[in-house]
Amino acid sequence: MRRRAALATSLAVLLLALPVAALLPAPPAGAQTGDLVATDALRVCADPANLPFSNERQEGFENRIAALVAKALDRRLDYVFFPQVQGFVRNTLRAGRCDLVMGTVAGDELMQNTNPYYHTAYVLAHRTDHPVPESLDDPAMKALKLGAIARTPPTDLLLRHGLVGNTRFFPLAVDTRHDSPGAELLQAVADGTLDAAMVWGPIAGYQARVKGLPLALRALPSEPGAARMDFRITMGVRGQEADWRRRINAVIREHQAEIDGILRDYGVPLLDAEGRLQAP
């Protein structure tokens, strides 16, 4: 969940002196145009173990959306898997090994963004049979056992509303092949260990819809002067590849209804144009 869960947070990961990209073979020249985009396949950069987004078995919703894009472009789908930690873009997209990154935040400075294909937010998740106060300012919130992922945007809300003292923090930087702090956090809410959790919406929605946890979700509002809680999600391409970006934008525009259907299959909470949570 690293890049998507933290969104605005950089992971402090120490790299070896030699970048991984220097040790990797360059993509075959015959399969590229002058701007590095392959012409014989849709080459997607993705995390190999990051459900509900992507994994090597192609079980995530970003895997399904990538397959939709490949079909629309009449190309086979090839993956370059690399953990989404510091250096992900440099060692994949910028190294010319792939041509599209799924699930990037609009405004990401490391690459050029396509048009957004969904709009979601951090949410407050609680058991369906255990409602919690509507306002974070409600004094009753301080009596609840809360949970959050450390160093993610909701931490800002917890600080400004005086809720840090009754919050259990789960680690952000983990090896997702073995650990899933978002899933553990939400399981703690489902089994009653915690009363509510502040977590990235797609993770909470997946646990409720696909994994069947008895959770209700409420979008966290973005407050003036605090970290943003809602984000428009795009796909990322290299800079100076305007034609390629336009082609991907056309696919998004023409297949938005199908993309929405995939997102709903995975329980991703979607916001409307006014920033309100849409009905599932």
Side-chain angles (χ1 to χ4, degrees):
M1 58 181 287
R2 286 141 295 200
R3 178 178 292 274
R4 297 179 178 87
L7 296 173
T9 305
S10 297
L11 301 181
V13 178
L14 296 178
L15 300 178
L16 298 176
L18 286 176
V20 175
L23 306 176
L24 297 171
Q32 302 170 11
T33 63
D35 60 5
L36 295 183
V37 176
T39 57
D40 59 345
L42 175 64
R43 303 182 304 167
V44 173
C45 329
D47 192 301
N50 195 23
L51 288 178
F53 308 100
S54 66
N55 69 2
E56 288 181 310
R57 293 186 293 276
Q58 302 185 36
E59 296 169 325
F61 66 79
E62 299 289 15
N63 295 122
R64 285 186 55 188
I65 293 171
L68 183 155
V69 174
K71 182 178 180 180
L73 294 172
D74 193 25
R75 299 183 180 198
R76 74 171 188 271
L77 176 59
D78 289 347
Y79 276 101
V80 172
F81 287 111
F82 194 93
Q84 282 198 336
V85 294
Q86 185 174 330
F88 172 79
V89 175
R90 173 169 53 84
N91 291 314
T92 57
L93 186 70
R94 287 189 171 183
R97 302 181 62 226
C98 49
D99 305 311
L100 192 68
V101 178
M102 309 298 295
T104 66
V105 178
D108 191 321
E109 296 180 354
L110 296 177
M111 55 195 128
Q112 184 177 196
N113 297 111
T114 66
N115 293 338
Y117 59 104
Y118 72 101
H119 184 195
T120 191
Y122 281 89
V123 299
L124 182 70
H126 60 86
R127 280 184 61 95
T128 53
D129 61 356
H130 184 62
V132 298
E134 290 290 326
S135 172
L136 297 180
D137 280 329
D138 191 314
M141 288 294 295
K142 294 185 178 180
L144 299 181
K145 293 174 291 185
L146 305 176
I149 304 296
R151 296 187 289 136
T152 57
T155 302
D156 208 15
L157 294 182
L158 292 166
L159 285 167
R160 68 162 42 195
H161 292 284
L163 300 172
V164 171
N166 55 305
T167 300
R168 175 184 170 191
F169 288 97
F170 289 65
L172 169 64
V174 299
D175 184 341
T176 53
R177 294 172 300 175
H178 309 291
D179 299 300
S180 181
E184 293 168 12
L185 168 58
L186 292 160
Q187 183 60 55
V189 175
D191 64 25
T193 304
L194 297 175
D195 295 306
M198 295 183 180
V199 67
W200 184 225
I203 295 171
Y206 176 73
Q207 293 298 320
R209 179 69 177 268
V210 179
K211 297 300 185 179
L213 297 187
L215 301 173
L217 312 181
R218 186 169 77 229
L220 286 169
S222 294
E223 299 182 1
R228 188 181 185 91
M229 294 297 129
D230 70 294
F231 295 88
R232 286 175 170 80
I233 306 302
T234 74
M235 301 176 200
V237 300
R238 283 178 292 271
Q240 310 306 314
E241 293 179 348
D243 288 343
W244 178 235
R245 179 177 179 272
R246 280 192 288 270
R247 291 191 69 182
I248 300 300
N249 280 338
V251 172
I252 293 171
R253 183 174 59 252
E254 293 164 9
H255 296 271
Q256 186 64 64
E258 294 166 79
I259 292 171
D260 289 348
I262 292 170
L263 294 168
R264 289 194 172 94
D265 285 346
Y266 283 76
V268 176
L270 301 176
L271 303 183
D272 62 19
E274 284 72 43
R276 297 171 301 199
L277 196 62
Q278 299 181 28

